[in-house]
Amino acid sequence: MKQNVADLLNAQVNKEFYSAYLYLGISKFFTKAKLYGFANWYRVQATEEQEHAMKIYDYLLDSKQDVCLEAIDKVDIKIESALAAVIEADKHEQYITAEICKIMDLAIAENDYTTQSFLDWFIEEQKEEEENSRKMISRVEAVGSDRRLLYMLDKKIERSVSNPPLQKRKL
Ligand SMILES: [Fe+2]
């Protein structure tokens, strides 16, 4: 693997961990707002992001590359509504997609077929993530300022998460 490809992958490990951190920040907002379905959804997302980071981490080590574990940025976002929260998540997913595409572009330019094939999974995953985050925006937009509808949507999201609802103990 070329050093420039390894460097971008290394930076992506950090970005995936930051994604986990950001989702935790979003989950925290929903927990405080007593919207436990949303809170759980984003908490599960945070776990997934850690798995993404570890996938790249393992790929680098398997490719006999070093992994530099840089500091993770502070989550510095101001969320004041459910809509602002889901928009923040969508914005971030778009950014991550662009970053994955940059690594893919470099892997193509460097004729690094192994990395291209490794990144295929991430391209597919980002497509799903963006679909989900867009769906979340339209659902929250549809309920508007109706608090009762927002709670109903929250219940629906709680049921849709396949993992055991982490926040249930608080209900
Ligand atoms: Fe990710």
Side-chain angles (χ1 to χ4, degrees), residues 12 16 19 48-49 52 93 96 122 125-126 129:
Q12 193 62 32
E16 299 291 341
S19 302
E48 274 189 29
E49 295 305 338
H52 296 171
E93 284 306 335
I96 291 295
F122 281 86
E125 175 70 13
Q126 282 312 117
E129 299 273 28

Side-chain angles (χ1 to χ4, degrees), residues 42-164:
Y42 286 106
R43 192 157 165 165
V44 170
Q45 297 303 309
T47 308
E48 274 189 29
E49 295 305 338
Q50 290 175 58
E51 286 166 11
H52 296 171
M54 293 312 292
K55 237 184 196 331
I56 306 170
Y57 167 97
D58 284 337
Y59 177 65
L60 281 166
L61 290 185
D62 289 346
S63 310
K64 308 277 176 274
Q65 298 293 323
D66 194 13
V67 181
C68 187
L69 297 166
E70 301 283 358
I72 302 165
D73 281 347
K74 181 180 174 182
V75 176
D76 201 10
I77 44 160
K78 261 222 167 336
I79 302 173
E80 271 152 8
S81 68
L83 185 59
V86 295
I87 287 175
E88 193 68 46
D90 182 60
K91 237 172 50 190
H92 186 70
E93 284 306 335
Q94 288 181 41
Y95 162 72
I96 291 295
T97 302
E99 293 305 292
I100 296 284
C101 288
K102 276 186 206 163
I103 313 174
M104 181 61 107
D105 286 343
L106 186 63
I108 292 168
E110 295 291 0
N111 295 321
D112 183 342
Y113 304 112
T114 315
T115 300
Q116 288 174 44
S117 142
F118 169 74
L119 288 172
D120 279 342
W121 183 89
F122 281 86
I123 300 274
E124 205 40 53
E125 175 70 13
Q126 282 312 117
K127 192 177 140 234
E128 236 175 72
E129 299 273 28
E130 283 198 36
E131 271 170 21
N132 281 338
S133 59
R134 272 197 305 270
K135 251 187 232 166
M136 204 60 114
I137 291 178
S138 27
R139 283 175 183 168
V140 174
E141 268 175 352
V143 305
S145 56
D146 191 327
R147 196 76 190 150
R148 201 178 58 93
L149 285 181
L150 189 60
Y151 273 107
M152 281 167 69
L153 177 60
D154 184 65
K155 281 276 155 226
K156 199 178 164 205
I157 288 167
E158 189 170 25
R159 285 193 298 269
S160 75
V161 180
S162 54
N163 298 49

